């Protein structure tokens, strides 16, 4: 649940930085965290707002595919776990919105940008959750991919973002494990249940690999983000790490990863894997995935339906303050 | 719109006997709702036994520009640390 293709603004060569910016970069190189009141280049501030808010939006929209299954969870135990997980996602969104606000942007502005379609959220949440096995697969793959990206971000250069990431990572470990635990149950169940898990893996595998963003060669903003230490590893590095980690986990479940080209490469010490359909990825990012419109419409409806309640809370607070 | 909801800073005491620690911030229309929201946002896993909330606008913070003026004077007073004084090894209890 995180940011993809964050625009870093116009590129400035290291030799062209003014003196203040050189000092800023030197502090980052030394590993000194940037705090809200410190001077920072406008490009750094804007890039971080884009990255953190996209990350926050992903957490909020990420509640929807799983929330879809709360009323249909197969047992009270699974229902309680899923409720707790979805509540965590809301919490993660709030930690991140708070971090973004320290950069001088208002919560309303951020929410408006999500609802108007100006701000993005992770492509992965535009896929539907068709069966109960999808809930497990999201925890295993989607939260697994998110952890891979977020653990390094605990060391990123912006203090409030790194502190938010530390909290998020602690809770994501629960998300991944509950998903894997759910899949263990299905894979040890009836042949139909195991088939349901295989079907979910077939649908979620490639979109999960796309979560890491475009290949490094096409990732125009990576270099600047890495210099600023708001991105610690490249998209391809993290994607490879994810594949290597996930293959034995799939083997344990007795599930087959839907990629005929997937195989261990002893020379590289990594798994080779097949070509990702980047046309599909860009199409989803552009708003044409299976659920893009539905997700935004659901978000907006929740916001609009809650307006009377938000207003009532303010009216109550004002009345109290006047007494 | 919640633009009228002020920002609150949240402090949590994790155990009796420890100090309240700043954990983050959130928006709420009043102090009571801020405590309710803080409960949901910051203590979902038994992180606290007590919550303080305070309007962010009420905090006065030192400016990063004053860092030198405020903190440099402590830099050259190493004698304030006990390790400044070499003690004879064979004398105990110091």
């Amino acid at each position: 649940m995180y940011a993809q293709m964050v625009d870093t603004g116009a590129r400035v060569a290291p030799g062209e930085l003014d003196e203040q910016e050189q000092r800023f970069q030197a502090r980052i190189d030394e590993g000194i965290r940037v705090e809200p009141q410190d001077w920072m280049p406008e490009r750094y501030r804007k890039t971080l707002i884009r990255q953190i808010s996209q990350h926050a939006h992903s957490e909020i929209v990420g509640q929807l595919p799983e929330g879809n299954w709360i009323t249909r969870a197969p047992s009270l135990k699974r229902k309680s776990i899923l409720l707790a997980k979805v509540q965590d996602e809301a919490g993660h969104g709030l930690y991140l919105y708070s971090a973004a606000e320290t950069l001088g942007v208002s919560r309303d502005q951020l929410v408006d940008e999500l609802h108007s379609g100006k701000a993005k959220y992770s492509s992965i949440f535009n896929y539907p959750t068709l069966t109960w096995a999808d809930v497990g697969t999201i925890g295993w793959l989607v939260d697994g991919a998110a952890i891979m990206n977020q653990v390094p971000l605990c060391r990123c250069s912006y203090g409030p973002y790194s502190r938010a990431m530390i909290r998020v990572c602690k809770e994501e470990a629960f998300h991944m494990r509950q998903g894997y635990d759910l899949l263990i149950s299905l894979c040890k169940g009836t042949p139909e249940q195991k088939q349901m898990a295989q079907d979910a893996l077939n649908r979620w595998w490639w979109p999960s690999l796309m979560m890491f963003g475009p290949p490094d060669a096409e990732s125009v903003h990576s270099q600047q983000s890495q210099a600023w230490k708001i991105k610690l590893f490249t998209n391809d590095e993290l994607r490879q790490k994810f594949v290597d980690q996930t293959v034995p986990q799939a083997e344990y479940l007795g599930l087959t990863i839907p990629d005929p080209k997937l195989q261990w490469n002893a020379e590289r010490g990594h798994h080779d894997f097949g070509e990702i359909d980047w046309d599909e990825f860009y199409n989803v990012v552009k708003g044409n995935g299976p659920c893009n419109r539905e997700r935004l419409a659901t978000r907006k409806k929740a916001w609009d339906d809650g307006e009377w309640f938000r207003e009532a809370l303010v009216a109550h607070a004002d009345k109290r303050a006047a007494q | 719109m919640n633009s009228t909801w002020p920002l609150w800073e949240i402090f949590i005491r994790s155990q009796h006997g420890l100090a309240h620690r700043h954990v983050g911030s959130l928006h709420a229309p009043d102090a009571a709702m801020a405590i309710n929201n803080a409960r949901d946002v910051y203590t979902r896993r038994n992180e606290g036994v007590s919550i303080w909330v305070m309007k962010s606008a009420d905090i006065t913070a030192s400016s990063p520009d004053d860092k030198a003026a405020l903190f440099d004077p402590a830099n050259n007073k190493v004698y304030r640390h006990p390790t400044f004084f070499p003690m004879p090894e064979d004398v105990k209890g110091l």
Side-chain angles (χ1 to χ4, degrees), chain A residues 134-166:
Chain A
D134 289 26
V135 172
T137 309
I138 289 178
W140 174 37
L141 297 181
V142 176
D143 291 291
I147 293 173
M148 205 128 263
N149 177 67
Q150 288 167 349
V151 168
L153 284 177
C154 295
R155 294 180 280 118
C156 76
S157 62
Y158 190 57
Y161 191 28
S162 102
R163 291 190 285 273
M165 280 297 100
I166 291 169

Side-chain angles (χ1 to χ4, degrees), chain A residues 59-60 63 66 70 80-95 171 174-175, chain B residues 37 39-41 43-45:
Chain A
E59 302 283 356
I60 297 300
Q63 296 176 96
E66 292 178 293
I70 290 174
S80 310
I81 292 169
L82 184 55
L83 264 174
K85 180 187 191 278
V86 172
Q87 192 192 22
D88 274 354
E89 306 298 1
H92 296 177
L94 293 179
Y95 307 152
E171 299 177 351
F174 147 61
H175 297 179
Chain B
N37 291 353
R39 199 273 314 252
D40 290 342
V41 181
T43 67
R44 290 193 302 282
R45 287 177 175 75

Side-chain angles (χ1 to χ4, degrees), chain A residues 27 37-38 87-88 91-92 94-95 98 101 107-108 112 167 171 174-175 303 307 310 313-314 316-317, chain B residues 1-5 7 23 25-27 29-30 33 40-45 47 61-64 67:
Chain A
R27 278 166 60 90
Q37 288 183 307
D38 296 338
Q87 192 192 22
D88 274 354
H92 296 177
L94 293 179
Y95 307 152
S98 293
E101 285 175 85
R107 181 77 58 99
D108 284 351
D112 280 348
R167 296 188 65 87
E171 299 177 351
F174 147 61
H175 297 179
W303 180 255
E307 192 170 355
R310 294 192 299 276
L313 289 172
V314 172
H316 176 74
Chain B
M1 289 303 240
N2 70 5
S3 49
T4 46
W5 290 13
L7 190 66
V23 292
S25 54
L26 51 77
H27 290 276
D30 58 27
M33 279 303 294
D40 290 342
V41 181
Y42 294 108
T43 67
R44 290 193 302 282
R45 287 177 175 75
E47 287 94 337
S62 65
S63 153
K67 216 175 117 197

Side-chain angles (χ1 to χ4, degrees), chain A residues 12-23:
Chain A
V12 179
E16 291 165 17
L17 296 178
D18 63 29
E19 201 189 321
Q20 207 172 14
E21 235 179 287
Q22 281 176 17
R23 240 180 299 143

